[in-house]
Amino acid sequence: MVSKDEIKHLGWLARLDLSEEELLKYESQIDRIIQHFDILDGLTLDILEPTHQTKSVRNLRIDEAKNFGENILPKTRNRKDGYLKGPKSDVKQ
Amino acid sequence: MSRLCDLSLDEVTDGIRNQHFSAEDYVSHILERIAKLDADIKAFVSVNSDHAIESARRIDSKIRRGEKVGYLAGITVGIKDNISTKGLRTTCASRVLADYVPPYDATVIRKLKESDAIVIGKLNLDEFAMGSTTEFSNFGPTRNPWNLDYVTGGSSGGSAAAVAAAECTASLGSDTGGSVRCPASFCSVVGFKPTYGSVSRYGLIAYSNSLEQIGPIARTVSGVVRVMNVISGVDPNDDTTRTVASPYSVESNRNHLRIALLNNLTVNAQPEVSKCIYSAMDTLSSAGCICEEITLDSLEFALASYYVIAMAEASSNLARYDNIRYGFDLDPEGYEWNSYFSKVRSNFGEEVKRRIIVGTYVLSSGYYGRYYLKAQKVRALLRREFKSLYSKYDVIIAPTMPILPFKIGEKIGDPIKIYYMDIDTVISNLTGMPAISIPAGFSNGLPIGLQIMSDDFQEQKIFDAALLFERTAKIQVRSPL
Amino acid sequence: MISNYSTKIGLEIHCQLTSLKSKLFCSCHCNYREYSPNENICPTCTGLPGTLPLLNQTAIEKAAMVCMALRCTIPNNILFYRKNYFYLDLPKNFQLTQYNAHGITSIGVDGLLGYGQGEARIRRVQLEEDPGRLSYVKGSSGSLIDYNRAGVPLVEIVTEPDFHDPKDVRLFLNKLASIVEHLGVCDTSLEGAVRCDANISIGDSRRVEIKNVSSFGDVEKALKFEMTRQKAMLNYEMEIRGETRHWDEQRKITKQSRTKEEEQDYRYFSEPDIPSIQIDEDYLKELHSKMPELPDERKERFINYYNLTEHVSKVLIEHKDLADYFEESAKIYFAPKEISSIIVTDLMSYVDDNSKKLGSTIRYIKMSPKQLAEIARMIKEGIVNRKTAKQLLYEAVVSGKLITSSENETNFRKIDDEGLILRSIENVFETESLAVLDAKKNPNVSNYLLGKVMELTKGRVDPGRALSQINKKLLEY
């Protein structure tokens, strides 16, 4: 069972404000989704390892610097002296 | 004489190159059509009119001067609105990206432009490509051109509907768990999911990186093949791309393909769908193919495995939308950072939030081995089993969708029912192997798609089978509108 | 009894790969320090939608060199993982790093580094990206964000809790700093280029993490403070909480952090946009052959070739700058003892006294190695007495100018005459016949002979040429 408190905690981990109404709705839906996922839990696939695409270190990007050359944050309204304005951090000022 | 909008991709490029009509005539005609039809269909979220006319004129003047023009000169391509277009708003049909204008072009867009294709506009989708009906869009649902009360499928619903309604020559969608093939099936057009690593994802706004590929949609198989010839190949901007065997041919030279029908998928399908797929198998047999039925038990784990991986990756991919670098107007001054993030991120739609929560759950400590790791192992298992099947068969066929298109709003209250729609398509995303959906017929005026799958980088086998079927079955490709 | 508590200290060191040209996953400049806020950014390092990480080949190379120097095992395949957490300085709200909980896939594991009298096991070395930087304005409650640093490559070096005394931690960190300097991977004198977190537990008490120590020098102070604090608590039978504390640089104390680490759940999973990177044996072999001289080897060479004491050699190799300065100077005028003693006594105290102004490196002093060589010559040849030399030295250090007498310049010229070199070698072979016999068995002893030749010629022959002549002559014996 995925409880309402758990959904709330997941909402915190994902930084989503969830209303009471949303919590109620998600509680039952998400529980059903997880129940469906539980068919994986019964599987024994010990011999199998996840497969990854591979690439040789020799074929990676060559270390060369270049400027992107365009203003990539043109529409950002919250700017000050080139900095982006953000909310309060938790480090004491 | 047929309408310009109904011409296939090949007919358009030939017509423009041979000056039967100008690119400007063609583009103007398409723009008029969009203006006339799209208020009902709602496939487009942005139309790139000025730029399109300008590009068309440039192509025409090149042709008049006798200069060489690109491989796709003059065709109009609609782009799913999760593919970055420089200077053109790219929203993912989400409130959090409502005003986002990318400062760069996705690799596929750059390649299309280099081949003189014209980007005609941006197309509707389920928010961040999460959905199978295009109802989860901040712009509202796109309507199925075959019956405006019905869903288009999704998430690339705009891409399929625009092509089906002849509002563009071809389009690009993205396919994470069937998002190109599903709407292609529901809208009776051809939609292709390439082998993972064939087409660059640079510029595709990620939903689930390890599963998705950009894929083309057109009204004919050769249209899809030609777009693939332009967009596929190794990209230095995407370390997961690999060398492909292109250019692909549009001349089917194989009639004796060894074909297996995956009957787990017909058993679970609606009877009308199942009947149609068996008749498609008969058509292929009559054309000279050797067809058999097979069953694969491990498929029962595919759907859960797909959703675990997709939601896990999505929960992480969508973390970046915190409204600091782009987004809507909300002064951060005065907010504590956690509450600012939580507040702005609440602007995600219902389905996106649901997937972020589930994705967060399956990755959280203690559950990794139970869900995510198992799901990855199922992928390895499926790859092994399909590899062995492709030593015996050239292609495998199945329904694209287990059900017929349904009415808008009919299933929106039951997300899990919608997830079950993807059961036939997620397989190829898990294995990374290519798959196509092509029109296979109608039931009560509602389209049914045939899915053809093959091994890694064996796109040509799929195209050969699809061309053969298209030629033999003669399903209507003309727009219903 | 306080002294009965056993202390265990482990370290996590972050070291920027400052010698790279570009960032870890994009082509923005690695040297972010030269740019105005948000001028060194691109779609990738700001996490714009649709961007993909493109791993820097040289970052792997440099990190692998660090691993070799720390005697780590380097796996054949490495992976990158996403560490998922939200913060204002993190453009993607996850950090790309490495992780070993689902199989060994970080660039290095299981190493060992000796320092002073001890040694510490290295648990792992991993590559990861640096976040951006936050600052604040007075009178505003918000933060200011600069992404110029976001994506700069870091190697994280994690030790086992093998330290018992903060003093050993300092020796270890000095050694490590010298290694990364000698490898040419990190300029440790740059602000923020090296950072250190430490964990400390006393007796059976819970582990306390100390974060935010932005200079190696402060780590020892932070640990000493923390030990005193914890021991005092234990004496009063107060329980020590497992917690994270921050080092307050100004007040020189550790403070409880406001963020609660236990609420974090990083939800690691392997980054799908970066393939598994294959590092083959041949690649590692090539790299091994390219490894520069490491501090330990250099120290041995200083002892054997320049005849320096163990102590002086150790001091010199602790900073690559210092050792380089010494060698450059000694190459110009072969008086290693004189030159090293001037560096170790006079120059180092000058650098220490002025480190606030200039940064703690010899690089910023104005006197050139050539000028130091000249001063050494004047002392050796009795042209100036030590008191005058010292005056000249300080003059040169501050102004970059050396007031020299023009007399006797001929003595300072290089000997280019092959016959003269051979005659000097013959002289030495006669007076050092026992050493010559040794040298036939032990090649290191030829360095000793070279030293004698240099002494005889007052450093005016080319040491390379002289050494090859010595070796040739040894064969004839």
Side-chain angles (χ1 to χ4, degrees), chain C residues 18-142:
Chain C
T18 57
S19 68
L20 297 191
K21 295 189 188 79
S22 65
K23 289 182 179 179
L24 188 51
F25 299 114
C26 67
S27 299
C28 287
H29 298 266
C30 181
N31 179 9
Y32 60 94
R33 292 172 175 86
E34 283 180 2
Y35 294 85
S36 327
N38 295 312
E39 291 287 327
N40 181 39
I41 57 173
C42 75
T44 304
C45 57
T46 45
L48 252 54
T51 52
L52 300 170
L54 294 171
L55 184 56
N56 185 334
Q57 189 175 18
T58 313
I60 301 279
E61 183 185 307
K62 301 290 182 194
M65 284 166 76
V66 171
C67 292
M68 285 178 179
L70 300 178
R71 292 163 59 188
C72 289
T73 307
I74 300 173
N76 297 334
N77 283 281
I78 63 163
L79 289 174
F80 282 82
Y81 274 78
R82 291 187 184 182
K83 181 180 184 180
N84 292 290
Y85 68 98
F86 285 85
Y87 200 51
L88 288 165
D89 58 8
L90 213 51
K92 301 181 291 286
N93 285 315
F94 60 76
Q95 182 195 27
L96 282 174
T97 179
Q98 299 194 289
Y99 190 57
N100 286 335
H102 310 306
I104 301 301
T105 53
S106 80
I107 183 84
V109 285
D110 298 337
L112 190 71
L113 179 62
Y115 61 89
Q117 302 303 313
E119 57 184 21
R121 288 168 298 159
I122 308 294
R123 185 180 296 169
R124 64 167 191 271
V125 177
Q126 63 188 42
L127 259 172
E128 60 187 32
E129 55 180 345
D130 218 349
R133 281 201 295 184
L134 294 184
S135 50
Y136 313 95
V137 253
K138 278 210 174 93
S140 155
S141 63

Side-chain angles (χ1 to χ4, degrees), chain C residues 10-15 149 169 173 190-200 208-226 244-250 252-255 257:
Chain C
L11 302 173
E12 270 181 36
I13 300 114
H14 287 93
C15 175
R149 193 180 68 178
V169 168
L173 290 175
L190 294 171
E191 189 255 320
V194 286
R195 280 108 73 179
C196 187
D197 296 342
N199 56 72
I200 173 167
V208 172
E209 312 267 344
I210 308 170
K211 296 217 183 246
N212 200 34
V213 191
S214 57
S215 85
F216 278 3
D218 273 4
V219 179
E220 186 186 3
K221 291 179 197 149
L223 285 167
K224 272 190 180 153
F225 174 87
E226 193 52 30
T244 299
R245 299 176 70 84
H246 273 73
W247 175 241
D248 185 330
E249 222 171 307
Q250 256 92 52
K252 306 285 175 208
I253 57 167
T254 66
K255 289 191 303 193
S257 303

